[in-house]
């Protein structure tokens, strides 16, 4: 993906602002998922075909992770190492989600679709964050 489509997605040509926006969006989406898992674990679990205990555990993890990503996004110059950790955790989350679907989970049809879609969204965040970091590093040279 060149800088032009990336800039269009971020609505800016400034790599630092791109990175802030992609991190902040990740934190917001992750936080919303955390709240849903924590507040609606019973009904959501029945709808998705997964246990409410699993959703509570995922919700707690996602809440902490969203807070960490949000703090990173709030920094004036997010450190490259921190951004790389977020990218790697996002990629791992996507892979584990798909692996769990294939090997362990027995969700409803809605749960299977949700698992795939959220894995794709998280992987997309990882790619966008990686590219924004790369653009920022190119501009610093």
């Amino acid at each position: 993906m060149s800088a032009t489509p990336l800039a269009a997605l971020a609505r800016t040509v400034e790599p630092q602002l791109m990175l802030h926006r992609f991190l902040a969006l990740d934190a917001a989406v992750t936080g919303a998922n955390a709240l849903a898992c924590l507040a609606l674990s019973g009904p959501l679990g029945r709808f998705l075909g997964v246990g409410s205990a699993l959703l509570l555990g995922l919700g707690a993890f996602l809440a902490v992770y969203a807070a960490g990503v949000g703090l990173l996004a709030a920094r004036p110059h997010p450190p490259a190492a921190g951004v790389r950790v977020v990218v790697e955790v996002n990629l791992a989350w996507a892979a584990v989600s798909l692996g769990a679907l294939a090997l362990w989970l027995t969700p409803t049809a809605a749960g299977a679709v949700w698992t795939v879609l959220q894995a794709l969204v998280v992987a997309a965040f990882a790619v966008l964050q990686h590219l924004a970091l790369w653009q920022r590093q190119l501009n610093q040279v």
Side-chain angles (χ1 to χ4, degrees):
M1 177 178 284
S2 73
T4 304
L6 189 64
L9 281 171
R11 298 179 163 241
T12 181
V13 295
E14 179 59 42
Q16 182 68 17
L17 189 52
M18 284 181 204
L19 188 55
H20 278 285
R21 287 182 178 173
F22 293 140
L23 288 169
L25 183 59
D26 186 355
V29 169
T30 302
N33 278 319
L35 288 175
C37 287
L38 292 169
L40 303 169
S41 63
L44 198 55
R46 287 188 293 280
F47 179 69
L48 299 175
V50 297
S52 62
L54 174 63
L55 290 178
L56 285 171
L58 291 174
F61 169 78
L62 291 173
V64 172
Y65 184 68
V69 176
L71 288 172
L72 189 63
R75 295 191 61 176
H77 190 82
V83 175
R84 284 190 201 100
V85 167
V86 169
V87 168
E88 290 171 9
V89 170
N90 282 346
L91 290 174
W93 178 274
V96 169
S97 294
L98 296 175
L101 180 60
L103 302 172
W104 176 55
L105 296 174
T106 54
T108 61
V113 169
W114 173 255
T115 302
V116 172
L117 290 179
Q118 64 83 30
L120 292 174
V121 168
V122 172
F125 277 137
V127 169
L128 292 171
Q129 292 157 349
H130 171 75
L131 291 173
L133 178 63
W134 178 66
Q135 285 292 317
R136 184 180 81 178
Q137 291 171 331
L138 283 178
N139 281 5
Q140 291 175 348
V141 175

